[in-house]
Amino acid sequence: MEYLLITGGRGGLGQTVAAAFSDPDWNVQVPGHSELDVTNPDAIRNYFATRPVDLLVCNAGITCDVPLMRMEENQWDDVFAVNYQGAADCAAAALPGMIRQGHGHVVFISSYSALHPAAGQAAYAASKAALLGLVAGLAARHGPSNIRFNAILPGFMETRMTQTVSDPRKTEILADHVLGRFNTTAAVAKFIRHLHEDLPHTSGQVFQLDSRIP
């Protein structure tokens, strides 16, 4: 049996990823904020101390779409605390166990905004871009220990996080997709399982999963 832990597991993508691994071969944990606060380093260390992890999906994330000139310092810090530092701290907490067992895989959920930020998304885009540097550095450092790190850019999806996006803005975003359709949480979840189980020699990579041309 393998052990999967998904941070931010109560969101739309987290729940769909959990469902994709719902079979006897997997023990799936999907802690919400009340069970695993990714902004609390002590809570993270305590949570991971007693739990084996074969696959960690760092999915917890927040947005704060405010132009940089009007953004309060605490807003910037809040976004980075969840999107970047929380992911980094969870990976750091999972690493000792992965090293002991001789294998492990961490998947960071980044964003297309990391490469092509929209106006007003400075903090979100910067935090998601920072994950890409983290992937490269950790993959190089821990490859000899048979631990893999990859990042996924799922693309725009119809989830709770995007419910506040206006219909005109969705139409603008959709126009950039050469296939004329958004990605789905089901497709992303299926890809994560494929990446973990069928591509065991892949690490340090960034996968864009929608149809926008970089």
Side-chain angles (χ1 to χ4, degrees):
M1 176 178 290
E2 289 193 87
Y3 293 82
L4 164 64
L5 196 157
I6 308 165
T7 69
R10 300 300 169 82
L13 179 58
Q15 289 292 298
T16 309
V17 173
F21 285 84
S22 180
D23 60 54
D25 293 332
W26 284 91
N27 179 303
V28 181
Q29 300 176 62
V30 286
H33 178 268
S34 62
E35 299 161 281
L36 176 58
D37 179 358
V38 300
T39 67
N40 185 327
D42 290 335
I44 291 172
R45 283 190 291 269
N46 291 336
Y47 191 89
F48 280 83
T50 58
R51 291 172 172 83
V53 180
D54 297 290
L55 171 59
L56 169 63
V57 178
C58 293
N59 172 64
I62 61 172
T63 61
C64 182
D65 294 349
V66 179
L68 185 61
M69 291 175 58
R70 297 207 306 267
M71 178 170 280
E72 301 291 336
E73 183 177 350
N74 68 294
Q75 292 177 308
W76 179 277
D77 292 344
D78 288 347
V79 171
F80 262 80
V82 175
N83 295 357
Y84 173 75
Q85 195 61 54
D89 287 347
C90 286
L95 269 169
M98 291 180 174
I99 291 171
R100 285 194 299 271
Q101 65 196 19
H103 68 271
H105 188 190
V106 178
V107 175
F108 294 110
I109 303 300
S110 183
S111 171
Y112 181 81
S113 293
L115 305 178
H116 300 277
Q121 281 196 328
Y124 179 77
S127 66
K128 291 297 189 178
L131 290 176
L132 305 187
L134 191 63
V135 162
L138 292 176
R141 174 66 179 82
H142 296 287
S145 298
N146 194 34
I147 301 172
R148 303 158 57 203
F149 292 86
N150 291 292
I152 290 175
L153 318 181
F156 190 95
M157 299 176 293
E158 300 282 2
T159 65
R160 188 169 56 199
M161 180 179 283
T162 61
Q163 283 180 345
T164 59
V165 178
S166 68
D167 288 339
R169 178 56 184 150
K170 287 181 182 179
T171 300
E172 291 176 359
I173 297 170
L174 187 61
D176 292 332
H177 292 65
V178 299
L179 293 177
R181 58 181 181 267
F182 292 134
N183 201 2
T184 66
T185 57
V188 174
K190 186 175 181 180
F191 180 83
I192 291 173
R193 183 153 189 174
H194 170 64
L195 175 62
H196 181 73
E197 296 184 338
D198 301 326
L199 300 176
H201 313 300
T202 300
S203 188
Q205 305 305 307
V206 178
F207 298 92
Q208 181 181 328
L209 302 186
D210 65 13
S211 66
R212 285 175 285 191
I213 306 299

